[in-house]
Amino acid sequence: MNNEIAERSVVYEVNGEDVKLSSNIIKKYLVSGNAEVSDQEVTMFLQLCRYQKLNPFLREAYLVKFKGSPAQIITSKEAFMKRAEAHPEYNGLKAGIIVDRDGEMMDLEGAIKLEKDKLLGGWAQIYRRDRENPVTVKISLGEFSKGQSTWKTMPLNMIRKTAIVNAMREAFPDTLGSMYTEEESATNVTAPDIESVVQEEVATKANMEIIDVPSDDEVMQGFNEVVNEPEPGPINQAEKPPFA
């Protein structure tokens, strides 16, 4: 690994705003979980954010690591879909759910079914202007639902969205091939769960009740302070700000 790349600051533009990242900034402000990330994992996260123009300070990407598991680089579904839809060849989509209705497997458009239907999975079709046929993907519910609260309360909506993400990646592999959402990660931690982990870490360090995750404006205020500061020295875990 190139240590110079890991330590130097990288500045890139996202939606007209400059984002400054370095190994020290990422380790100090942008890592969640209970295990320490390696320089290589930090560098991979930095390069992905730069290449895909993701702003991790606005929760467009997460770097998460728990003991016994490799670090996971997770992209928010909103950021993923915005970049897919911005592709010049993107020409719309159709998506829905797959159900078992009286022993027959049926593809339904949207995210609504009859009460007697058994949910089996989701499907999506992505249309490109430069291709005659759409990219079609069908996925199984059992491969993606890990029993999280969101999947229990909104299984139809979740499996439909996950099918869309998978189809978009197949339709635009050059743009989205290295990006994965929380449902596709190897860990069981989803975006809402990550925010809970951050809250618990802050509460433990501050010896206080769990507080709310800061708003985007509060996060950007902290980010701007970081940009205007010189490169930080060795990391002092006790000095992490509330949004660490």
Side-chain angles (χ1 to χ4, degrees), residues 196-214 240-243:
S196 297
V197 168
V198 174
Q199 289 178 350
E200 291 171 2
E201 290 176 352
V202 171
T204 300
K205 292 171 187 176
N207 193 25
M208 59 186 292
E209 294 182 355
I210 292 178
I211 63 174
D212 291 335
V213 171
K240 281 191 176 182
F243 54 88

Side-chain angles (χ1 to χ4, degrees), residues 81-149:
M81 296 184 69
K82 283 179 182 178
R83 278 149 185 77
E85 292 172 356
H87 196 285
E89 300 300 337
Y90 177 75
N91 197 32
L93 68 86
K94 290 182 179 180
I97 58 175
I98 304 170
V99 301
D100 180 336
R101 179 177 294 175
D102 298 327
E104 180 182 357
M105 189 166 65
M106 302 181 63
D107 295 353
L108 306 179
E109 192 164 357
I112 187 171
K113 68 178 184 65
L114 299 178
E115 185 175 354
K116 66 177 182 178
D117 292 341
K118 179 182 178 181
L119 181 63
L120 299 178
W123 64 271
Q125 292 182 328
I126 306 298
Y127 294 84
R128 289 183 55 134
R129 293 184 175 88
D130 58 348
R131 296 183 184 178
E132 182 177 352
N133 297 315
V135 174
T136 302
V137 165
K138 295 186 178 183
I139 61 173
S140 169
L141 176 68
E143 291 187 356
F144 290 91
S145 174
K146 304 180 182 72
Q148 306 95 326
S149 59

Side-chain angles (χ1 to χ4, degrees), residues 30-32 37 41 45 48 61-66 69-75 180-182 184-189 194:
L30 300 172
V31 178
S32 294
V37 292
E41 290 166 337
F45 178 72
L48 175 68
Y62 304 88
L63 181 58
V64 186
K65 188 170 184 178
F66 290 91
S69 301
Q72 297 292 317
I73 300 174
I74 301 174
T75 307
Y180 294 89
T181 60
E182 57 269 19
E184 304 167 296
S185 68
T187 179
N188 287 331
V189 180
I194 290 172

Side-chain angles (χ1 to χ4, degrees), residues 4-11 20-23 25 46 231:
E4 182 181 352
I5 293 177
E7 294 302 327
R8 74 184 184 187
S9 294
V10 174
V11 180
K20 177 183 178 183
L21 288 180
S22 70
S23 176
I25 291 175
L46 186 155
E231 279 296 307

